Amino acid sequence: DGEKKAKKEKKEKKEKKQKGSDDDSDDGDKSGDNSADKDDQSLKFDDPETKDVVGAITSLVESKGGKAKAEDIFEEVRMHQLAKLFDHKVRLYIILEALCGDRMDAKSLLEHKKVVKHLIENGKMPAADILWTFDAYLSQNGSAAKGFPMVLKAIYDEDWANESSIMAYYNDDEGSGAPGFDEAKKVAAPFLKWLATAGSDDDDDDDDDDDEDSD
């Protein structure tokens, strides 16, 4: 009887252990689901609620007579970011919408370059993410298409994205499938052509310098 009892306890212990591991795996699956849910819940650039955040930033700027400090704007959008869980691309998108309206051009962008630069540097945004954001802006603001080539030139001049990154994103289609990419690539053609020429001119200058050095 003692032996039977021991076997029974051993069996129950084994089943309990097995159940525990099953529970653990269930928890693992649940945590994975939670992670996916969290991604689904994060604010996207084209969500209606994003407009509310844009409105809040716009109100802040207007309350300061259009001269809100870059630091204040950053703190405001950062507060919303923590509350609504959007990424750095959406954060930059919100600022472009709030500060440049629906007709962003190089002039309006550069008027706010201090806060844009701060967002890019603070978020350690790679060139592809920066270009994604500007394309997304264009997808929602078709009236900005005319000035878009010069906007890209401003991005290039400010060193927010270098020549190779821009060419790879558009000419090599690294940004393919991103919101607004096709339209952006189309309207950016004059700038991309200029950039390719400017790049080759720089290479020629480098070659000339090398020739002079060898002489």
Side-chain angles (χ1 to χ4, degrees):
D1 288 346
E3 190 177 342
K4 282 183 181 179
K5 189 177 180 182
K7 282 184 177 179
K8 187 179 179 184
E9 287 176 353
K10 190 175 181 182
K11 186 180 178 184
E12 286 174 352
K13 199 172 183 181
K14 188 177 180 182
E15 286 174 351
K16 193 173 182 181
K17 188 177 180 183
Q18 181 66 40
K19 187 176 185 303
S21 66
D22 289 344
D23 289 344
D24 288 344
S25 64
D26 287 345
D27 289 343
D29 291 341
K30 284 175 186 172
S31 66
D33 290 343
N34 288 340
S35 177
D37 289 344
K38 193 174 180 181
D39 287 340
D40 290 341
Q41 290 168 6
S42 63
L43 205 63
K44 306 296 188 295
F45 81 97
D46 54 354
D47 284 346
E49 201 176 344
T50 303
K51 291 182 179 178
D52 295 337
V53 183
V54 171
I57 305 299
T58 303
S59 296
L60 169 67
V61 175
E62 288 175 350
S63 72
K64 304 290 184 182
K67 298 185 182 299
K69 292 180 181 177
E71 295 81 5
D72 293 339
I73 295 172
F74 175 76
E75 286 303 322
E76 179 74 12
V77 74
R78 178 68 179 143
M79 182 182 71
H80 286 286
Q81 184 178 23
L82 291 171
K84 301 181 188 299
L85 306 175
F86 48 82
D87 63 22
H88 292 331
K89 292 187 291 186
V90 173
R91 184 174 73 174
L92 179 57
Y93 170 85
I94 287 168
I95 289 300
L96 295 180
E97 285 274 9
L99 301 185
C100 299
D102 61 357
R103 292 178 179 272
M104 176 174 59
D105 56 17
K107 184 174 181 289
S108 62
L109 174 62
L110 292 175
E111 282 175 358
H112 302 289
K113 70 177 183 179
K114 187 175 180 181
V115 66
V116 172
K117 180 182 178 181
H118 187 63
L119 289 172
I120 289 171
E121 291 181 349
N122 174 271
K124 296 181 173 60
M125 294 180 70
D129 283 0
I130 296 166
L131 297 172
W132 182 99
T133 305
F134 280 85
D135 287 2
Y137 170 90
L138 184 63
S139 75
Q140 302 296 303
N141 299 282
S143 54
K146 186 178 179 181
F148 196 72
M150 294 308 292
V151 165
L152 283 179
K153 187 174 187 302
I155 292 170
Y156 170 71
D157 288 342
E158 292 297 320
D159 289 329
W160 296 336
N162 61 27
E163 177 200 339
S164 60
S165 298
I166 295 171
M167 297 299 278
Y169 192 82
Y170 291 110
N171 285 6
D172 297 341
D173 290 340
E174 282 187 5
S176 182
F181 173 79
D182 292 336
E183 176 67 9
K185 181 177 178 178
K186 182 180 174 183
V187 300
F191 167 72
L192 296 173
K193 185 178 180 181
W194 171 85
L195 188 60
T197 307
S200 64
D201 287 347
D202 288 343
D203 291 341
D204 291 342
D205 290 342
D206 290 341
D207 290 342
D208 291 342
D209 291 342
D210 290 341
D211 291 341
E212 288 174 11
D213 291 342
S214 61
D215 292 344

